[in-house]
Amino acid sequence: METSIFQFGKLPEFKKFTPESINKQFPVVIEKIAKDFEKIEKNLSIYLNQNDLNWDLVINPLNEVNEVLRWSWGVISHLNAVKNSESMRDIYSKFLPKIISLSNKFGQSKIIYNSLVKLKETNNFDQIKTRILDKEILDMQHRGISLKIKDQEEFNKISEKLGKLSTDFSNNVLDATNKWFLILNKKSEVDGLPERVLELMAISAHNHLKKDGEVNVKNGPWKLSLDIPSYTSFMTYANDRNLREKLYKAYVGRASEGEKNNSLIIEEILSLRTKQANLLGYKSWAELSLSTKMAKEIKNVENLLEELREPAFKTAKIELETLDNFSKANGVPQSQNIEPWDISYWSELLRKEKLNLDQESLRPWFPLNDVLKGLFKLSEKLFQIKVVEATNDAPLWNDDVLFFNILDKGNQRIASFYLDPYSRPETKRGGAWMDECLNKSNVGKNTLPVAYLVCNQTPPSKDKPSLMSFDEVQTLFHEFGHGLQHMLTTVNLPQAAGINNVEWDAVELPSQFMENWCFHKNTLLNIAKHYKTGEKLSEENFEKLLKNRTFNCGMATLRQLHFAITDLRLHSNIDKNKGKSADAIRREIAEQTTVIYPIQEDQFLCCFSHIFAGGYSAGYYSYKWAEVLSADAFSMFEEADLENTENLKLIGKKFKDTILSLGGSLSPLEIFKLFRGREPKTDSLIRHLGLSGATL
């Protein structure tokens, strides 16, 4: 008999997860989960009648069946994101409705709901178990457990439809990104681009055109596409303004026309979310979303965003004027307005002149291996852990993937993680993320946590390792921060271990906290060594990077606020939004959140996957909310003197024992107060962002 590829609780044998094998074996898994679930319901029904309910009888079996579902569907979802193909996509789409249906069946079981409520009423549990139960009960209410049968049927249909629409949205963005390209043959078209970018574009053109012989970096051809490394480099360095305009318009117009148009999908998603929220008794999707978050109420989020918007808007207007004057002083006609496709280009030139900083020229100081060594050394110092590579000991989905073990002070393995660092635009979705491979659990057999860390940084070339931009270094630190919270948890109940049960708007705290260390002198100077000579980054260049942190900070902050306010407004102001398209609402908001009004071709909502195909709907504000927490947390290290090793160790241990260890066992505010000794303040974030004139 064929051995199943679905070996729960173990590292997945990724290469065995072909679309064919999934198609053959996953239905067996689904069937077993459904049968196990029926068995649990039967047992709970008996326990309810006998009035004999305890934690182990109710929670543990439910966790076991849920973990089997999470693990198996998690592997398929992961491969759909990092090893995408037409056939893998078909398999994902085929099984998604079944997963949603199964999930709704769990969430709408009266027996389970009554068991959870009775369990809470008849026991005096500690704070952690009470919090887990409250969350489980509220989750079931949000799954429609209390609805009448007719409303429940409508709720379930909406859930399935939303699942399909999100998948379609994501596929359309990926397809639109991959479909557009230009083959450039003239040297004038690539004038200004760094050697590294030319090499990647030449290799890409060579492969696309299926040419024989050597790649000709110097004379081309070069392939220009919409993947992030290619797009950002061209927008920043290319002298050809017409091509920058063409590229920009293609990028902001992705998935907004033809067969792959997401405009109607957006309207349908927003309408269905509102209906679903109304069925559950909430006025809007935002109200439903915030009922499970740290912020609690829409007005709290609006207040924070407005507190940041006002100083950011003032600062951004000054920055744009400075940029405009600089471009005019450097040959741009007085009559020519600065356009969106000019911002990155002139910002880079101004940065070079004002800070004498050429970001591209610093890449040789950030080879991936050295950055990883520095990141691990910092983690060892702060959190008393050791990170050891073990790539040969783990199954991988791509040859570029790395695998590491985390050891404690006694050299015992406490966790592991995968790192998939490089961009693969044809098969891997854009962005960067952390996901769970295995969750920590002491229930049944002892399972150690394993994380997926996925980035999309510049890949190595023929004779160079992956030389990272400073932004890519920060992204790696960010995702590792998420990973640390998943991996260093000391909570043994899986429902509250790691990032489980952590309110969504607090989940970015550890990730953004880790980014701060990129601006700590000793940390960065220990990381940054020239990949050829071993020469350390100069203090002068470090100071430039530090000043660069607040360079054009107004525009950067305003951009994030534009996304956050748009997201919140689309999902909350239902009466005011009536009769207006999502794009029209976004353009109204843009009057107060942009300093260059969006051009007609700018249909950015059509590729805003965070809120239409990810978990950030009515939650994009979380980045800024958590940034307040992370900046305030980091300020405790600053106050203790960042150069005092003993103090850093003490506070690092406190951070590990609270923020990183306690997961979702307590509310984020309680955990923050355990670490900081008080409620969070916004002063540190305003200072880090370099925004002035804030009345906070």
Side-chain angles (χ1 to χ4, degrees):
M1 188 181 157
E2 188 182 5
T3 308
S4 174
I5 57 173
F6 291 91
Q7 299 290 315
F8 316 110
K10 295 180 180 177
L11 295 177
E13 293 282 346
F14 298 103
K15 299 217 167 139
K16 292 181 182 176
F17 280 79
T18 61
E20 297 73 30
S21 64
I22 294 169
N23 196 35
K24 190 176 175 185
Q25 295 188 27
F26 193 46
V28 180
V29 175
I30 292 175
E31 194 181 334
K32 185 175 185 314
I33 290 170
K35 279 183 182 168
D36 288 347
F37 179 69
E38 283 170 18
K39 194 174 160 187
I40 290 169
E41 279 194 315
K42 201 173 175 182
N43 290 338
L44 288 179
S45 190
I46 295 166
Y47 304 146
L48 268 171
N49 288 335
Q50 295 171 347
N51 215 7
D52 178 25
L53 292 171
N54 64 50
W55 186 272
D56 290 348
L57 288 177
V58 179
I59 300 296
N60 290 355
L62 285 172
N63 178 66
E64 200 174 315
V65 76
N66 273 317
E67 185 55 21
V68 170
L69 178 60
R70 187 209 65 78
W71 186 97
S72 50
W73 183 241
V75 180
I76 296 166
S77 302
H78 175 68
L79 290 173
N80 190 51
V82 296
K83 205 177 177 182
N84 193 280
S85 65
E86 201 67 50
S87 50
M88 183 60 81
R89 205 184 271 194
D90 290 344
I91 287 293
Y92 182 85
S93 298
K94 175 184 173 179
F95 287 114
L96 181 64
K98 292 181 173 66
I99 295 300
I100 292 170
S101 173
L102 204 56
S103 200
N104 280 340
K105 194 177 173 186
F106 287 12
Q108 292 169 357
S109 162
K110 295 276 186 200
I111 293 171
I112 288 176
Y113 183 71
N114 293 337
S115 299
L116 292 172
V117 171
K118 190 86 173 167
L119 183 67
K120 193 189 170 195
E121 285 172 356
T122 55
N123 287 273
N124 188 17
F125 288 122
D126 63 19
Q127 196 177 359
I128 298 173
K129 285 185 174 176
T130 302
R131 181 173 150 83
I132 289 170
L133 272 179
D134 286 343
K135 176 82 164 33
E136 295 285 348
I137 291 165
L138 184 61
D139 277 353
M140 290 193 80
Q141 288 167 354
H142 286 174
R143 294 263 188 93
I145 184 68
S146 307
L147 297 177
K148 291 173 184 165
I149 290 172
K150 195 181 171 191
D151 286 344
Q152 205 171 76
E153 283 171 2
E154 188 185 355
F155 182 93
N156 292 346
K157 278 180 189 167
I158 290 173
S159 292
E160 286 194 23
K161 184 69 176 163
L162 282 171
K164 184 184 182 307
L165 289 169
S166 288
T167 304
D168 290 347
F169 186 98
S170 188
N171 288 342
N172 286 347
V173 174
L174 188 63
D175 289 344
T177 303
N178 287 336
K179 187 180 174 187
W180 190 95
F181 66 90
L182 287 176
I183 299 294
L184 308 177
N185 293 293
K186 297 176 189 166
K187 281 188 179 181
S188 60
E189 293 174 316
V190 294
D191 186 41
L193 292 182
E195 179 79 11
R196 170 193 61 82
V197 182
L198 287 174
E199 189 175 342
L200 288 175
M201 287 171 66
I203 292 167
S204 186
H206 189 84
N207 295 340
H208 177 82
L209 299 168
K210 295 181 170 61
K211 287 198 157 203
D212 295 324
E214 289 289 307
V215 174
N216 194 331
V217 177
K218 199 176 176 187
N219 297 311
W222 305 273
K223 184 184 175 190
L224 179 60
S225 53
L226 297 177
D227 62 281
I228 286 295
S230 177
Y231 171 78
T232 51
S233 297
F234 201 89
M235 293 307 295
T236 306
Y237 300 110
N239 292 328
D240 190 323
R241 188 173 190 251
N242 291 334
L243 269 180
R244 287 203 314 270
E245 179 180 353
K246 198 178 229 182
L247 180 66
Y248 178 83
K249 286 179 174 176
Y251 188 79
V252 296
R254 283 176 302 159
S256 65
E257 57 188 18
E259 280 179 30
K260 305 291 180 185
N261 189 345
N262 276 338
S263 303
L264 292 176
I265 291 179
I266 287 169
E267 301 301 338
E268 198 172 353
I269 285 174
L270 291 171
S271 168
L272 289 172
R273 281 176 179 167
T274 303
K275 271 186 198 167
Q276 203 164 52
N278 293 160
L279 281 170
L280 294 172
Y282 293 95
K283 288 178 194 165
S284 66
W285 183 263
E287 197 179 275
L288 165 62
S289 169
L290 287 168
S291 68
T292 61
K293 293 188 170 70
M294 189 177 171
K296 295 296 180 207
E297 293 180 26
I298 293 169
K299 70 172 189 298
N300 294 337
V301 179
E302 287 176 336
N303 289 344
L304 174 79
L305 296 177
E306 182 55 28
E307 279 180 359
L308 294 173
R309 189 203 66 80
E310 200 178 331
F313 192 66
K314 284 179 193 168
T315 309
K317 279 168 89 171
I318 295 164
E319 288 166 355
L320 184 68
E321 195 180 328
T322 303
L323 214 53
D324 192 39
N325 291 339
F326 176 72
S327 69
K328 301 280 198 294
N330 283 274
V332 170
Q334 291 296 319
S335 58
Q336 185 176 295
N337 290 330
I338 200 158
E339 300 287 357
W341 48 90
D342 298 319
I343 299 289
S344 295
Y345 178 76
W346 285 107
S347 292
E348 185 61 20
L349 290 174
L350 179 60
R351 182 185 282 114
K352 279 180 185 171
E353 181 167 296
K354 197 174 175 183
L355 305 179
N356 193 21
L357 175 65
D358 177 359
Q359 293 194 101
E360 189 62 30
S361 70
L362 294 185
R363 277 181 183 265
W365 273 267
F366 296 110
L368 175 62
N369 279 346
D370 284 352
V371 173
L372 286 174
K373 278 180 202 165
L375 173 58
F376 299 158
K377 196 174 173 185
L378 171 70
S379 304
E380 196 172 324
K381 182 169 73 176
L382 291 176
F383 311 127
Q384 282 84 58
I385 57 171
K386 198 183 283 181
V387 185
V388 181
E389 188 176 348
T391 302
N392 295 332
D393 302 339
L396 312 173
W397 57 90
N398 184 283
D399 291 343
D400 291 333
V401 176
L402 302 166
F403 184 80
F404 298 90
N405 289 325
I406 292 191
L407 314 178
D408 64 12
K409 279 195 292 190
N411 280 336
Q412 290 294 308
R413 186 171 81 87
I414 54 171
S416 305
F417 66 94
Y418 284 98
L419 174 63
D420 185 351
Y422 310 131
S423 169
R424 294 188 299 277
E426 288 80 18
T427 59
K428 184 177 173 184
R429 72 173 165 89
W433 65 93
M434 189 287 286
D435 208 349
E436 304 153 322
C437 176
L438 295 175
N439 279 322
K440 181 181 172 72
S441 176
N442 278 9
V443 178
K445 65 172 187 172
N446 189 19
T447 307
L448 296 177
V450 179
Y452 297 123
L453 305 186
V454 185
C455 298
N456 263 289
Q457 68 193 49
T458 310
S461 58
K462 192 170 63 176
D463 57 347
K464 290 190 192 86
S466 172
L467 299 177
M468 301 169 72
S469 70
F470 189 61
D471 282 348
E472 288 170 346
V473 173
Q474 287 173 259
T475 299
L476 181 61
F477 271 62
H478 179 104
E479 298 310 329
F480 192 68
H482 280 308
L484 286 171
Q485 188 172 33
H486 175 65
M487 296 184 287
L488 299 189
T489 188
T490 53
V491 178
N492 288 322
L493 294 171
Q495 300 87 348
I499 60 168
N500 291 307
N501 216 31
V502 177
E503 279 77 347
W504 192 266
D505 43 3
V507 89
E508 295 293 334
L509 193 171
S511 53
Q512 292 174 338
F513 165 82
M514 285 302 291
E515 282 188 59
N516 285 301
W517 292 100
C518 295
F519 299 96
H520 174 229
K521 191 173 180 179
N522 279 350
T523 299
L524 199 73
L525 294 183
N526 279 325
I527 286 174
K529 297 182 190 75
H530 196 284
Y531 80 103
K532 277 185 178 172
T533 64
E535 176 200 354
K536 283 195 170 189
L537 187 75
S538 68
E539 291 197 18
E540 186 190 352
N541 275 325
F542 168 74
E543 292 301 330
K544 289 174 187 175
L545 285 171
L546 200 58
K547 284 177 186 165
N548 187 52
R549 186 182 195 182
T550 55
F551 179 77
N552 280 359
C553 67
M555 286 197 275
T557 304
L558 202 58
R559 183 172 179 267
Q560 286 298 305
L561 294 172
H562 175 65
F563 295 166
I565 294 167
T566 300
D567 166 42
L568 194 66
R569 198 80 56 83
L570 286 174
H571 288 105
S572 63
N573 283 30
I574 305 306
D575 295 333
K576 282 186 184 175
N577 292 350
K578 264 184 187 157
K580 295 175 188 169
S581 69
D583 182 58
I585 294 161
R586 178 247 169 156
R587 287 177 187 277
E588 277 178 18
I589 293 160
E591 287 173 18
Q592 297 297 313
T593 55
T594 60
V595 284
I596 297 183
Y597 194 74
I599 58 169
Q600 192 182 338
E601 292 89 342
D602 185 344
Q603 296 291 318
F604 114 88
L605 288 178
C606 288
C607 46
F608 197 5
S609 298
H610 271 79
I611 70 167
F612 294 117
Y616 279 88
S617 56
Y620 198 86
Y621 76 88
S622 302
Y623 283 105
K624 282 289 168 242
W625 187 274
E627 224 176 312
V628 169
L629 303 177
S630 63
D632 198 8
F634 188 73
S635 71
M636 190 164 173
F637 287 83
E638 292 174 316
E639 287 160 15
D641 182 2
L642 290 169
E643 307 318 317
N644 186 321
T645 308
E646 286 311 306
N647 280 358
L648 287 192
K649 276 185 182 173
L650 285 171
I651 300 169
K653 185 179 185 308
K654 196 176 183 187
F655 188 84
K656 180 190 172 191
D657 292 344
T658 52
I659 310 281
L660 298 180
S661 295
L662 297 179
S665 62
L666 300 171
S667 77
L669 186 59
E670 283 177 275
I671 293 174
F672 185 87
K673 280 156 74 174
L674 281 175
F675 171 68
R676 199 69 178 88
R678 57 163 174 76
E679 295 210 357
K681 294 179 181 176
T682 50
D683 321 27
S684 299
L685 177 60
I686 296 295
R687 176 169 52 82
H688 285 178
L689 291 174
L691 299 175
S692 55
T695 50
L696 297 169

